[in-house]
Short mmCIF file of all heavy atoms in Angstrom, two decimals:
data_model
loop_
_atom_site.label_atom_id
_atom_site.label_comp_id
_atom_site.label_asym_id
_atom_site.label_seq_id
_atom_site.Cartn_x
_atom_site.Cartn_y
_atom_site.Cartn_z
N ALA A 1119 -27.62 5.28 -3.22
CA ALA A 1119 -27.37 3.84 -3.01
C ALA A 1119 -26.00 3.56 -2.41
O ALA A 1119 -25.76 2.47 -1.90
CB ALA A 1119 -27.49 3.12 -4.36
N THR A 1120 -25.08 4.49 -2.47
CA THR A 1120 -23.72 4.30 -1.99
C THR A 1120 -23.25 5.60 -1.26
O THR A 1120 -23.85 6.64 -1.43
CB THR A 1120 -22.78 4.02 -3.13
OG1 THR A 1120 -22.69 5.20 -3.99
CG2 THR A 1120 -23.22 2.85 -3.98
N PRO A 1121 -22.16 5.49 -0.49
CA PRO A 1121 -21.62 6.69 0.13
C PRO A 1121 -21.26 7.75 -0.90
O PRO A 1121 -21.47 8.98 -0.62
CB PRO A 1121 -20.36 6.20 0.85
CG PRO A 1121 -20.73 4.78 1.21
CD PRO A 1121 -21.49 4.28 0.02
N PHE A 1122 -20.75 7.35 -2.04
CA PHE A 1122 -20.41 8.35 -3.08
C PHE A 1122 -21.67 9.08 -3.56
O PHE A 1122 -21.65 10.29 -3.71
CB PHE A 1122 -19.72 7.68 -4.27
CG PHE A 1122 -19.52 8.60 -5.41
CD1 PHE A 1122 -18.51 9.59 -5.36
CD2 PHE A 1122 -20.33 8.51 -6.55
CE1 PHE A 1122 -18.35 10.47 -6.43
CE2 PHE A 1122 -20.14 9.37 -7.64
CZ PHE A 1122 -19.14 10.38 -7.59
N GLN A 1123 -22.71 8.32 -3.82
CA GLN A 1123 -23.94 8.96 -4.27
C GLN A 1123 -24.56 9.87 -3.20
O GLN A 1123 -25.10 10.94 -3.51
CB GLN A 1123 -24.95 7.91 -4.70
CG GLN A 1123 -24.50 7.16 -5.94
CD GLN A 1123 -25.50 6.14 -6.44
OE1 GLN A 1123 -26.58 6.01 -5.91
NE2 GLN A 1123 -25.12 5.40 -7.47
N LEU A 1124 -24.45 9.50 -1.91
CA LEU A 1124 -24.90 10.38 -0.84
C LEU A 1124 -24.08 11.66 -0.83
O LEU A 1124 -24.63 12.76 -0.69
CB LEU A 1124 -24.77 9.66 0.52
CG LEU A 1124 -25.07 10.55 1.73
CD1 LEU A 1124 -26.50 11.08 1.74
CD2 LEU A 1124 -24.75 9.81 3.02
N LEU A 1125 -22.77 11.50 -1.00
CA LEU A 1125 -21.91 12.69 -1.04
C LEU A 1125 -22.27 13.64 -2.19
O LEU A 1125 -22.44 14.83 -1.99
CB LEU A 1125 -20.44 12.23 -1.20
CG LEU A 1125 -19.37 13.33 -1.38
CD1 LEU A 1125 -19.30 14.24 -0.19
CD2 LEU A 1125 -18.00 12.69 -1.66
N VAL A 1126 -22.50 13.11 -3.35
CA VAL A 1126 -22.88 13.90 -4.51
C VAL A 1126 -24.25 14.57 -4.27
O VAL A 1126 -24.38 15.78 -4.50
CB VAL A 1126 -22.93 13.06 -5.78
CG1 VAL A 1126 -23.60 13.79 -6.92
CG2 VAL A 1126 -21.55 12.56 -6.19
N ALA A 1127 -25.19 13.83 -3.78
CA ALA A 1127 -26.51 14.36 -3.55
C ALA A 1127 -26.50 15.48 -2.48
O ALA A 1127 -27.18 16.47 -2.58
CB ALA A 1127 -27.48 13.29 -3.11
N THR A 1128 -25.65 15.29 -1.47
CA THR A 1128 -25.59 16.30 -0.41
C THR A 1128 -24.91 17.58 -0.90
O THR A 1128 -25.33 18.69 -0.55
CB THR A 1128 -24.81 15.74 0.82
OG1 THR A 1128 -25.39 14.49 1.21
CG2 THR A 1128 -24.88 16.68 1.99
N VAL A 1129 -23.91 17.43 -1.74
CA VAL A 1129 -23.29 18.62 -2.35
C VAL A 1129 -24.31 19.36 -3.19
O VAL A 1129 -24.45 20.58 -3.12
CB VAL A 1129 -22.07 18.21 -3.21
CG1 VAL A 1129 -21.64 19.40 -4.05
CG2 VAL A 1129 -20.92 17.73 -2.33
N LEU A 1130 -25.12 18.63 -3.94
CA LEU A 1130 -26.11 19.26 -4.79
C LEU A 1130 -27.25 19.91 -3.97
O LEU A 1130 -27.92 20.86 -4.43
CB LEU A 1130 -26.77 18.21 -5.72
CG LEU A 1130 -25.85 17.68 -6.82
CD1 LEU A 1130 -26.55 16.55 -7.58
CD2 LEU A 1130 -25.46 18.79 -7.83
N SER A 1131 -27.47 19.42 -2.75
CA SER A 1131 -28.60 19.90 -1.95
C SER A 1131 -28.35 21.25 -1.28
O SER A 1131 -29.26 21.84 -0.73
CB SER A 1131 -28.95 18.87 -0.87
OG SER A 1131 -27.97 18.82 0.15
N ALA A 1132 -27.12 21.75 -1.32
CA ALA A 1132 -26.80 23.04 -0.71
C ALA A 1132 -27.66 24.12 -1.35
O ALA A 1132 -27.64 24.34 -2.56
CB ALA A 1132 -25.33 23.37 -0.88
N GLN A 1133 -28.44 24.80 -0.51
CA GLN A 1133 -29.34 25.91 -0.97
C GLN A 1133 -30.28 25.42 -2.08
O GLN A 1133 -30.59 26.13 -3.00
CB GLN A 1133 -28.53 27.10 -1.42
CG GLN A 1133 -27.76 27.73 -0.27
CD GLN A 1133 -26.96 28.97 -0.68
OE1 GLN A 1133 -25.88 28.84 -1.28
NE2 GLN A 1133 -27.49 30.10 -0.36
N CYS A 1134 -30.68 24.14 -1.94
CA CYS A 1134 -31.57 23.56 -2.91
C CYS A 1134 -32.43 22.53 -2.20
O CYS A 1134 -31.98 21.99 -1.16
CB CYS A 1134 -30.79 22.89 -4.06
SG CYS A 1134 -31.81 22.27 -5.43
N THR A 1135 -33.64 22.26 -2.67
CA THR A 1135 -34.48 21.30 -1.97
C THR A 1135 -34.08 19.86 -2.31
O THR A 1135 -33.60 19.54 -3.38
CB THR A 1135 -35.97 21.47 -2.37
OG1 THR A 1135 -36.12 21.17 -3.77
CG2 THR A 1135 -36.41 22.93 -2.09
N ASP A 1136 -34.33 18.94 -1.33
CA ASP A 1136 -34.05 17.53 -1.60
C ASP A 1136 -34.92 17.04 -2.74
O ASP A 1136 -34.48 16.15 -3.52
CB ASP A 1136 -34.35 16.72 -0.34
CG ASP A 1136 -33.31 16.96 0.76
OD1 ASP A 1136 -32.33 17.74 0.53
OD2 ASP A 1136 -33.49 16.43 1.87
N LYS A 1137 -36.14 17.50 -2.83
CA LYS A 1137 -37.04 17.09 -3.90
C LYS A 1137 -36.43 17.40 -5.27
O LYS A 1137 -36.43 16.54 -6.16
CB LYS A 1137 -38.40 17.81 -3.77
CG LYS A 1137 -39.43 17.40 -4.83
CD LYS A 1137 -40.70 18.12 -4.62
CE LYS A 1137 -41.72 17.72 -5.68
NZ LYS A 1137 -43.05 18.42 -5.47
N ARG A 1138 -35.86 18.56 -5.42
CA ARG A 1138 -35.25 18.92 -6.72
C ARG A 1138 -33.99 18.04 -6.98
O ARG A 1138 -33.82 17.60 -8.10
CB ARG A 1138 -34.86 20.42 -6.68
CG ARG A 1138 -33.99 20.87 -7.82
CD ARG A 1138 -34.59 20.62 -9.20
NE ARG A 1138 -35.84 21.25 -9.35
CZ ARG A 1138 -36.63 21.15 -10.46
NH1 ARG A 1138 -36.19 20.41 -11.46
NH2 ARG A 1138 -37.81 21.72 -10.49
N VAL A 1139 -33.22 17.85 -5.96
CA VAL A 1139 -32.01 17.02 -6.12
C VAL A 1139 -32.42 15.57 -6.55
O VAL A 1139 -31.82 14.99 -7.43
CB VAL A 1139 -31.17 16.95 -4.83
CG1 VAL A 1139 -30.04 15.95 -4.93
CG2 VAL A 1139 -30.61 18.35 -4.50
N ASN A 1140 -33.46 15.07 -5.94
CA ASN A 1140 -33.92 13.71 -6.25
C ASN A 1140 -34.47 13.64 -7.67
O ASN A 1140 -34.58 12.51 -8.23
CB ASN A 1140 -34.96 13.23 -5.28
CG ASN A 1140 -34.39 12.94 -3.89
OD1 ASN A 1140 -33.18 12.70 -3.77
ND2 ASN A 1140 -35.23 12.98 -2.88
N MET A 1141 -34.77 14.75 -8.29
CA MET A 1141 -35.25 14.76 -9.64
C MET A 1141 -34.09 14.64 -10.66
O MET A 1141 -34.27 14.12 -11.77
CB MET A 1141 -36.08 16.03 -9.93
CG MET A 1141 -37.39 16.08 -9.18
SD MET A 1141 -38.24 17.71 -9.37
CE MET A 1141 -38.58 17.69 -11.10
N VAL A 1142 -32.93 15.11 -10.24
CA VAL A 1142 -31.82 15.14 -11.21
C VAL A 1142 -30.84 13.97 -11.01
O VAL A 1142 -30.12 13.61 -11.94
CB VAL A 1142 -31.04 16.47 -11.14
CG1 VAL A 1142 -31.96 17.67 -11.34
CG2 VAL A 1142 -30.26 16.65 -9.85
N THR A 1143 -30.78 13.40 -9.80
CA THR A 1143 -29.75 12.38 -9.58
C THR A 1143 -29.98 11.03 -10.24
O THR A 1143 -29.04 10.34 -10.55
CB THR A 1143 -29.55 12.15 -8.04
OG1 THR A 1143 -30.82 11.94 -7.40
CG2 THR A 1143 -28.84 13.35 -7.42
N PRO A 1144 -31.24 10.60 -10.50
CA PRO A 1144 -31.39 9.31 -11.19
C PRO A 1144 -30.64 9.26 -12.49
O PRO A 1144 -29.90 8.27 -12.77
CB PRO A 1144 -32.91 9.18 -11.40
CG PRO A 1144 -33.48 9.93 -10.23
CD PRO A 1144 -32.56 11.13 -10.09
N ALA A 1145 -30.74 10.24 -13.35
CA ALA A 1145 -30.07 10.24 -14.64
C ALA A 1145 -28.54 10.39 -14.41
O ALA A 1145 -27.73 9.71 -15.08
CB ALA A 1145 -30.57 11.37 -15.52
N LEU A 1146 -28.18 11.25 -13.46
CA LEU A 1146 -26.72 11.46 -13.19
C LEU A 1146 -26.11 10.14 -12.71
O LEU A 1146 -25.03 9.77 -13.16
CB LEU A 1146 -26.58 12.54 -12.12
CG LEU A 1146 -25.16 12.86 -11.66
CD1 LEU A 1146 -24.34 13.39 -12.80
CD2 LEU A 1146 -25.19 13.82 -10.47
N PHE A 1147 -26.75 9.47 -11.74
CA PHE A 1147 -26.17 8.21 -11.21
C PHE A 1147 -26.24 7.07 -12.17
O PHE A 1147 -25.44 6.14 -12.11
CB PHE A 1147 -26.87 7.88 -9.90
CG PHE A 1147 -26.63 8.81 -8.77
CD1 PHE A 1147 -27.53 8.96 -7.72
CD2 PHE A 1147 -25.50 9.65 -8.75
CE1 PHE A 1147 -27.33 9.86 -6.67
CE2 PHE A 1147 -25.26 10.52 -7.73
CZ PHE A 1147 -26.17 10.65 -6.70
N ALA A 1148 -27.15 7.11 -13.07
CA ALA A 1148 -27.26 6.07 -14.09
C ALA A 1148 -26.02 6.06 -14.97
O ALA A 1148 -25.51 5.04 -15.39
CB ALA A 1148 -28.52 6.20 -14.93
N ASP A 1149 -25.58 7.29 -15.31
CA ASP A 1149 -24.43 7.43 -16.22
C ASP A 1149 -23.10 7.53 -15.45
O ASP A 1149 -22.06 7.14 -16.00
CB ASP A 1149 -24.61 8.65 -17.10
CG ASP A 1149 -25.72 8.48 -18.15
OD1 ASP A 1149 -26.16 7.34 -18.35
OD2 ASP A 1149 -26.18 9.49 -18.70
N TYR A 1150 -23.14 8.04 -14.24
CA TYR A 1150 -21.97 8.25 -13.43
C TYR A 1150 -22.19 7.72 -12.00
O TYR A 1150 -22.36 8.52 -11.09
CB TYR A 1150 -21.55 9.71 -13.40
CG TYR A 1150 -21.30 10.27 -14.78
CD1 TYR A 1150 -22.28 11.00 -15.44
CD2 TYR A 1150 -20.12 10.00 -15.46
CE1 TYR A 1150 -22.09 11.52 -16.74
CE2 TYR A 1150 -19.90 10.53 -16.76
CZ TYR A 1150 -20.88 11.24 -17.38
OH TYR A 1150 -20.67 11.74 -18.66
N PRO A 1151 -22.24 6.42 -11.85
CA PRO A 1151 -22.63 5.84 -10.54
C PRO A 1151 -21.55 5.92 -9.49
O PRO A 1151 -21.86 5.76 -8.29
CB PRO A 1151 -22.92 4.37 -10.90
CG PRO A 1151 -22.05 4.10 -12.08
CD PRO A 1151 -22.03 5.40 -12.88
N ASP A 1152 -20.31 6.16 -9.85
CA ASP A 1152 -19.25 6.14 -8.89
C ASP A 1152 -18.19 7.19 -9.20
O ASP A 1152 -18.23 7.86 -10.25
CB ASP A 1152 -18.59 4.76 -8.78
CG ASP A 1152 -18.18 4.20 -10.15
OD1 ASP A 1152 -17.68 5.00 -10.97
OD2 ASP A 1152 -18.41 3.00 -10.41
N ALA A 1153 -17.22 7.28 -8.31
CA ALA A 1153 -16.19 8.32 -8.46
C ALA A 1153 -15.34 8.08 -9.72
O ALA A 1153 -14.97 9.05 -10.41
CB ALA A 1153 -15.32 8.35 -7.24
N THR A 1154 -15.06 6.84 -10.02
CA THR A 1154 -14.20 6.54 -11.16
C THR A 1154 -14.83 6.99 -12.49
O THR A 1154 -14.16 7.59 -13.33
CB THR A 1154 -13.91 5.04 -11.22
OG1 THR A 1154 -13.30 4.64 -10.00
CG2 THR A 1154 -12.99 4.71 -12.39
N THR A 1155 -16.10 6.76 -12.67
CA THR A 1155 -16.77 7.17 -13.89
C THR A 1155 -16.95 8.70 -13.95
O THR A 1155 -16.72 9.32 -14.98
CB THR A 1155 -18.11 6.50 -14.05
OG1 THR A 1155 -18.91 6.69 -12.88
CG2 THR A 1155 -17.98 5.00 -14.30
N MET A 1156 -17.35 9.28 -12.82
CA MET A 1156 -17.57 10.75 -12.77
C MET A 1156 -16.23 11.48 -12.98
O MET A 1156 -16.24 12.62 -13.54
CB MET A 1156 -18.27 11.18 -11.51
CG MET A 1156 -18.75 12.62 -11.59
SD MET A 1156 -19.81 13.10 -10.16
CE MET A 1156 -21.28 12.16 -10.46
N ALA A 1157 -15.14 10.92 -12.52
CA ALA A 1157 -13.84 11.58 -12.69
C ALA A 1157 -13.47 11.77 -14.14
O ALA A 1157 -12.65 12.64 -14.49
CB ALA A 1157 -12.76 10.74 -11.97
N GLU A 1158 -14.04 10.96 -15.05
CA GLU A 1158 -13.75 11.09 -16.45
C GLU A 1158 -14.61 12.15 -17.17
O GLU A 1158 -14.36 12.47 -18.30
CB GLU A 1158 -13.96 9.74 -17.14
CG GLU A 1158 -13.06 8.63 -16.62
CD GLU A 1158 -11.61 8.92 -16.78
OE1 GLU A 1158 -11.21 9.53 -17.81
OE2 GLU A 1158 -10.83 8.65 -15.85
N ALA A 1159 -15.63 12.63 -16.44
CA ALA A 1159 -16.51 13.66 -17.05
C ALA A 1159 -15.92 15.06 -16.89
O ALA A 1159 -15.01 15.30 -16.11
CB ALA A 1159 -17.89 13.59 -16.40
#
């Protein structure tokens, strides 16, 4: 939904299928939607 989320998804997609990445990012982005929140994890 945002440049940050695209960046995260693209990092996750290295040597991995987009289908698999799309399975894990909904929960990840729900809890850590932006850099500020993920920086605290």
Side-chain angles (χ1 to χ4, degrees):
T1120 65
F1122 173 74
Q1123 292 181 4
L1124 173 63
L1125 175 61
V1126 169
T1128 307
V1129 168
L1130 290 174
S1131 72
Q1133 296 181 282
C1134 187
T1135 65
D1136 290 355
K1137 181 178 179 180
R1138 169 58 57 182
V1139 173
N1140 288 338
M1141 292 172 66
V1142 306
T1143 51
L1146 177 65
F1147 294 155
D1149 291 344
Y1150 302 99
D1152 51 40
T1154 302
T1155 53
M1156 191 173 289
E1158 299 301 321

